[in-house]
Amino acid sequence: MIDDINEAIDRQGNEVDCASCVHSDMLATGKCKLRHACVNDRYARRIDRFFNWNPELANNYVAHPHFEVRAIAAKHAAVFLLPPLLDDPEETVRWNAARRLPKKHILKLRDDPHREVRIRIVTLLDDADLVPMLQDSDYYVRLSVARRLPPVLLEWMLHDGEAEVRRVVAQRIPDEMLMRMAGDPEPRVRLEIVRRLPAEKLGEMRRDEDWRIRHEVVNRIAPEELAELVDDEDELVRETARARASANEGRKGRYEQYRS
């Protein structure tokens, strides 16, 4: 099998020369193959295939001048060689090293200059180790934290500056914290709250300015609390309230008839 790219060029733009390669003897054994599995090729897929075939050689390449080689070698090299790669100038190298190292080594990457590294680091940390990332300057990092942090610790994110972060928080906080977000300025956040509130708490949301929230309320609120909503300014809310009120009156009428 040969890759679709029908050339073999190294990182400096020169043609790959198997004859001058230190691994030239491997050609005969099928441990490398031009335009398919080659550590000198600039094409990452071919470098990756080379190390998949020859993982025992990865230790020799963690300091290679080409970042693609260092990054892929980090997937296979001995773990004790990886800590220096956490200071590599290329984020891909730092991340590939971090994913294989014990947690104590990677905590410093919570402040990595590249957002993608910080986003990925979130997936490797738990609980208190995530707390320093609550104030990250990038909203998507904080969003990742909100999705991973234990619900009881989300109290620290109730007032995050990004609505999408608060929306995720609203989906995950413990029930006893829900009303603390009922006055959030973003309707999407309040909608998540009202969807989770028990029926007996919905009355506190029936005057919300957003019709979607009032509609959620009118679908679940106790029938005896519908009176204020049957004349709602929004047609859908109004019709739903009247339909529920009418159905409730019908049930009461049948009940009274049955009793008599």
Side-chain angles (χ1 to χ4, degrees), residues 12 29 31 48 50 57-58 60 66 95 103 108 119 125 156 165 170 177 187 206 218 226 242 252 257:
Q12 296 177 318
T29 61
K31 300 291 283 184
D48 191 48
F50 176 86
L57 297 178
N60 301 327
H66 185 27
W95 164 243
K103 185 172 63 175
K108 69 178 185 178
I119 289 169
L125 302 179
W156 294 331
V165 174
M177 293 184 191
R206 65 176 179 261
V218 83
L226 284 168
R242 290 177 180 178
K252 287 170 62 177
Q257 184 179 34

Side-chain angles (χ1 to χ4, degrees), residues 82-90 93-94 97 108-109 112:
L82 299 181
L85 298 184
L86 297 179
D87 296 311
D88 195 276
E90 291 291 332
V93 179
R94 297 195 299 273
K108 69 178 185 178
L109 294 187
D112 193 273

Side-chain angles (χ1 to χ4, degrees), residues 152-169:
V152 295
L153 297 181
L154 287 172
E155 182 176 13
W156 294 331
M157 304 190 80
L158 297 182
H159 305 291
D160 189 273
E162 175 61 45
E164 184 60 20
V165 174
R166 299 197 308 276
R167 191 181 71 82
V168 171
V169 171

